[in-house]
Amino acid sequence: MGINLPETTVRKHKNLGELLCEEGLITREQLDLSLEQQSREGGDLKDILINRNLVSPKDLAAVLSVHFNLPFIDLQRHKIQPRALQLVSETIARRHTLIPLDILSDALVVVMADPENVHTIQDLQAQVKMKIEPAIGVAADIKRAIDINYRSAAEIAKKVKDFSPAVKETTLSEEMVARTPIAETVDLIINQAIRDRASDIHIEPQETRLRIRFRIDGTLYDMFSLPLSVHIPLVSRIKILAEMNIAEQRRPQDGQISFTAAEKPVDIRVASIATAFGERLALRILDKSLALFKLEELGLLTESLHKFEKIMQSPYGLFLVGGPTGSGKTTTLYSLLNSLNRSERNIMTIEDPIEYRFEDINQTQVNIKAGITFPAGLRALMRHDPNIILVGEIRDRETASIAVQAALTGHLVLSSIHANNSVGVLFRLLDLGIEPYLVVSTLIGISTQRMARRICPHCRITYTPAEQEKELFRAETISIPPVLYNRGSGCNLCAKTGFEGRIGLFEVLLMSDVIRKLLVNNSNAVEIENQAVTEGLITMKSDGLQKVIKGIIPTSEVLRSVFALR
């Protein structure tokens, strides 16, 4: 690749604090206060300065490069070479927050967060039997680069090669599966998915191979291609972990796995279905260690956030969150529930599954074998004097009817439902058999949503938009933003995708007297939506385009997620 290790000016007679002051990054007073804190509490001055938001990690790394007379490497701009990566194990890279970058002549260039650690450099040199040329990088960038570049593909290939089924049967016993390298292969795949921030793993038998895909930030990516000989033992191992019947391969099954990755508890929902080439598995990853979002962190515009606050003030009624699978409905409901959690309220839930455990909320898991379905569980909750009830999902007429009855009798009921937009939720309730007069008597509000990928902050660029992108704004009668739009160009820190993380696109509808009259009078969806827009409804398209103007998402995400919706 050919990176240059620049010569830097040596200023060893000055310490880090003096250099930061000299560069104008901190004041003398800020340095003195930080040194006092270090003297009082101990710790590293670098960490204290970053934690107090006095200096950014990137600026600090740049100054350290001068301090130690070492080059500063921006990992988003330099490609990590596979030949260098093979020389250092992932375990060592993670333990010491470093990543090998390239081999120059007879030296291995290693980007480190802590180049002062001489012992690490010496140990690395003894291990790789090469000279080590240390360079400085931002710790967070190094960790992200480790996650992206150290992949399980080679290790999985080795395990698969070592595995040779001893029998030709279409099923394997639990003992046989547990004794083979396939058990380690499953662990490697799941760990890799968690490191890649994947929400789902798809295991799909094809005619000539076993395809494994990860859904990352809402998009599916091909990750591994394995020989078909691995399919049956791999599926059997996962079904054993999920307590599913490995002998049954034709009927759909559901199961759940409790998994620990990097000392973090993770729940995995497993679903199987028969296809033309064998059983297909879908694994949904639920990270228990993730903190709850606050409502204002979900991506709600100010107007939509105010509508949520009005809903939270209601002592009773029905509030529904709509959208397809994977659109973040549960996250929104949990954020709302967390905001409503008070010691004087009895909050109860019936969920499938329980994705996050609240300390002071009574949560019930659907268990069909034990007779605990959404309707049965909801009936049981009603006898426990709840103030607020969360129903994981309204899937059928019976659940919808009981939820409406609960809202009619003085409870605040929160739930999710599958629908394209806010007005679509109204007609979905009618389709489930709920009478219009009951809908207008109980429903207080609706929020529908989609997820859009955020522009990677490390490789954000501006560009001149095409005419089609400008048309998006004209169609929504929104003023066309400046000539330059934002998108991600793709870098090492976002795996060349141009995206990092996701944000919600919302459409929040509060029921008004006029909308209630239109519904009772059998008005169509267009009439109701036009009235809602007149009353201030921000459609998902408009919500998305406002986030384009703010530089949060590119226009391509609006086209992908919501532009086809009314």
Side-chain angles (χ1 to χ4, degrees), residues 23 30 143-144 167 182 246 376 410 416 437 454 463 504 555:
E23 295 293 330
Q30 290 171 332
K143 291 174 183 176
R144 194 179 294 110
V167 291
I182 214 71
I246 64 171
S416 68
Y437 75 90
R454 290 177 178 267
Y463 70 100
T555 51

Side-chain angles (χ1 to χ4, degrees), residues 256-517:
Q256 189 159 329
I257 301 171
S258 293
F259 194 84
T260 301
E263 300 181 357
K264 295 193 303 182
V266 175
D267 274 348
I268 301 173
R269 278 189 292 173
V270 183
S272 71
I273 191 169
T275 70
F277 299 109
E279 269 190 296
R280 181 191 193 279
L281 296 185
L283 286 68
R284 167 63 59 87
I285 299 171
L286 309 169
D287 189 346
K288 292 180 175 180
S289 68
L290 294 178
L292 279 179
F293 287 98
K294 295 179 180 178
L295 280 173
E296 53 269 24
E297 296 172 339
L298 296 177
L300 289 159
L301 298 176
T302 303
E303 300 90 330
S304 299
L305 186 59
H306 288 162
K307 291 178 181 179
F308 265 81
E309 290 168 351
K310 287 182 180 180
I311 289 162
M312 287 163 49
Q313 294 169 5
S314 178
Y316 57 85
L318 176 63
F319 175 71
L320 296 176
V321 177
T325 300
S327 60
K329 300 188 297 295
T330 301
T331 300
T332 299
L333 284 172
Y334 277 169
S335 299
L336 188 58
L337 205 63
N338 194 44
S339 299
L340 290 165
N341 193 5
R342 302 285 186 276
S343 59
E344 68 271 14
R345 291 170 174 163
N346 178 20
I347 302 177
M348 306 194 73
T349 77
I350 176 73
E351 305 173 61
D352 183 24
I354 296 173
E355 296 186 19
Y356 185 94
R357 299 190 184 277
F358 292 84
E359 187 175 342
D360 300 318
I361 291 176
N362 305 288
Q363 296 172 270
T364 301
Q365 167 76 51
V366 166
N367 187 336
I368 295 174
K369 292 180 181 177
I372 304 174
T373 60
F374 276 119
L378 187 49
R379 285 194 191 94
L381 294 188
M382 294 285 286
R383 295 191 285 270
H384 285 262
D385 188 30
N387 298 105
I388 299 170
I389 299 171
L390 183 143
V391 184
E393 185 178 346
I394 291 178
R395 300 175 179 172
D396 50 50
R397 179 175 184 173
E398 190 177 9
T399 307
S401 178
I402 300 169
V404 166
Q405 292 299 321
L408 277 173
T409 53
H411 305 89
L412 179 60
V413 181
L414 315 174
S415 189
S416 68
I417 192 168
H418 285 257
N420 281 335
N421 55 16
S422 297
V423 175
V425 170
L426 297 173
F427 287 90
R428 175 66 178 142
L429 288 173
L430 299 179
D431 183 57
L432 288 173
I434 306 301
E435 294 293 337
Y437 75 90
L438 289 175
V439 174
V440 300
S441 299
T442 57
L443 193 63
I444 56 175
I446 300 163
S447 174
T448 46
Q449 61 187 73
R450 296 290 188 279
M451 299 299 289
R453 293 176 292 177
R454 290 177 178 267
I455 297 170
C456 173
H458 308 287
C459 60
R460 178 193 304 274
I461 62 170
T462 56
Y463 70 100
T464 303
E467 194 61 32
Q468 181 189 16
E469 295 176 82
K470 295 180 182 179
E471 186 59 35
L472 289 173
F473 292 89
R474 295 192 189 99
E476 291 296 300
T477 63
I478 297 175
S479 298
I480 297 175
V483 176
L484 297 178
Y485 287 23
N486 292 275
R487 61 179 171 84
S489 62
C491 66
N492 283 338
L493 302 182
C494 64
K496 305 295 182 183
T497 64
F499 299 101
E500 186 179 284
R502 293 194 291 172
I503 191 171
L505 307 182
F506 295 89
E507 183 175 298
V508 186
L509 170 67
L510 293 183
M511 294 294 286
S512 68
D513 290 340
V514 177
I515 291 175
R516 290 187 174 98
K517 287 178 182 176

Side-chain angles (χ1 to χ4, degrees), residues 40 93 151-152 177 219 223 324 335 338 345 363 434 463 490 552:
R40 186 173 61 252
R151 310 206 63 81
S152 301
V177 173
T219 301
M223 304 306 294
S335 299
N338 194 44
R345 291 170 174 163
Q363 296 172 270
I434 306 301
Y463 70 100
I552 299 172

Side-chain angles (χ1 to χ4, degrees), residues 532-559:
V533 171
T534 300
E535 295 178 5
L537 175 72
I538 299 173
T539 65
M540 273 186 282
K541 283 186 290 186
S542 295
D543 184 283
L545 292 174
Q546 291 191 43
K547 290 181 171 99
V548 169
I549 295 171
K550 293 175 184 288
I552 299 172
I553 63 174
T555 51
S556 60
E557 283 299 283
V558 181
L559 282 166

